[in-house]
């Protein structure tokens, strides 16, 4: 039990700690008929150095003459951003194409696939979703999914002696053109209490 001024640890503490690097997924889905997620089929690749999730609401303070500080009720949510940053150790053609917003070319050497630059962002460049799946100390999943994800970071990798090359991809969440365009389509699946 927690002790005021000393420790906030309770018997629930181990159930509420996310531990480890988690896994990164492309187009993660829940099959309601079979009651399972497509975790294995959707993994994007191995990472090194962890991942980062950032969801930030944007606020605007309404300025009123005479109010010299922020005032409760005069703050309005005027937007938000949502992104995930992954440090990929495993470089696949698909991940590299996403990072570059590239297109398939035709290689003269049949031993290689060719990726080339494209001038426009097409509908296909947006992934249905990217997801991070982490686990609590007692093995329950915490799942964060961002729809309409576009890799906006480009591709940069540095080769070093006696080190594996790691490259960072940042995926940003986007609203649909058919939506109300005032919220982003992210979804956080937080496990219910183990009891």
């Amino acid at each position: 039990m927690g002790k005021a001024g000393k420790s906030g640890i309770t018997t629930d503490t181990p159930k509420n700690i996310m531990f480890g690097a988690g896994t990164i997924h492309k187009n993660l889905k829940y099959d309601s008929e079979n009651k399972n997620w497509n975790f294995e089929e959707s993994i994007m690749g191995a990472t090194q150095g962890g991942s980062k999730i950032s969801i930030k609401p944007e606020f605007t303070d309404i300025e009123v003459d005479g109010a010299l500080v922020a005032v409760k009720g005069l703050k309005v949510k005027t937007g938000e951003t949502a992104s995930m940053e992954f440090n990929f150790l495993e470089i696949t053609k698909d991940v590299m194409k996403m990072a570059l917003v590239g297109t398939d070319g035709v290689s003269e050497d049949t031993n290689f696939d060719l990726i080339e630059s494209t001038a426009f962002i097409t509908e296909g460049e947006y992934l249905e979703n990217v997801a991070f799946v982490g686990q609590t100390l007692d093995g329950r999943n915490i799942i964060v999914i961002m729809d309409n994800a576009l890799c906006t970071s480009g591709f940069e990798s540095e080769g070093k002696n006696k080190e594996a090359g790691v490259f960072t991809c940042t995926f940003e969440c986007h609203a649909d053109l058919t939506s109300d365009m005032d919220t982003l389509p992210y979804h956080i699946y937080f496990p219910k209490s183990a009891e």
Side-chain angles (χ1 to χ4, degrees):
M1 194 61 126
K3 292 187 177 182
K6 183 170 180 175
S7 173
I9 297 172
T10 68
T11 55
D12 287 332
T13 297
K15 300 174 197 170
N16 297 321
I17 295 174
M18 191 163 61
F19 188 74
T23 53
I24 310 309
H25 301 262
K26 170 186 163 187
N27 300 334
L28 183 65
K29 292 181 178 65
Y30 181 73
D31 181 348
S32 54
E33 186 177 315
N34 295 312
K35 307 246 186 267
N36 64 0
W37 293 87
N38 67 331
F39 290 128
E40 279 145 33
E41 300 82 19
S42 62
I43 284 187
M44 289 179 72
T47 59
Q48 183 181 76
S51 302
K52 180 180 178 181
I53 299 167
S54 176
I55 301 172
K56 296 179 183 175
E58 180 183 318
F59 299 104
T60 299
D61 286 308
I62 306 302
E63 293 186 22
V64 178
D65 291 344
L68 304 178
V69 296
V71 179
K72 180 180 175 183
L74 294 180
K75 189 179 292 286
V76 180
K77 182 179 175 187
T78 53
E80 59 191 355
T81 59
S83 64
M84 293 188 188
E85 184 179 285
F86 309 132
N87 295 307
F88 284 107
L89 176 64
E90 189 172 348
I91 298 178
T92 65
K93 175 188 164 192
D94 287 342
V95 171
M96 188 176 282
K97 255 179 72 176
M98 284 181 247
L100 296 168
V101 188
T103 188
D104 288 319
V106 178
S107 174
E108 293 176 17
D109 185 341
T110 58
N111 295 309
F112 294 91
D113 289 325
L114 182 62
I115 302 169
E116 296 180 319
S117 182
T118 181
F120 301 102
I121 299 172
T122 64
E123 175 72 23
E125 305 297 338
Y126 291 89
L127 300 178
E128 182 179 338
N129 69 53
V130 291
F132 169 84
V133 179
Q135 283 195 338
T136 61
L137 287 178
D138 65 351
R140 293 174 299 138
N141 290 328
I142 296 174
I143 303 168
V144 180
I145 298 175
M146 293 186 184
D147 294 344
N148 304 318
L150 180 69
C151 186
T152 58
S153 58
F155 175 80
E156 186 175 322
S157 184
E158 188 176 338
K160 293 183 181 179
N161 194 34
K162 298 184 181 183
E163 288 185 26
V166 175
F167 74 100
T168 302
C169 286
T170 301
F171 288 86
E172 295 184 26
C173 183
H174 295 78
D176 278 309
L177 284 171
T178 57
S179 72
D180 57 13
M181 293 185 234
D182 59 4
T183 59
L184 288 173
Y186 65 80
H187 318 279
I188 301 172
Y189 292 86
F190 198 84
K192 292 185 177 181
S193 177
E195 285 89 51

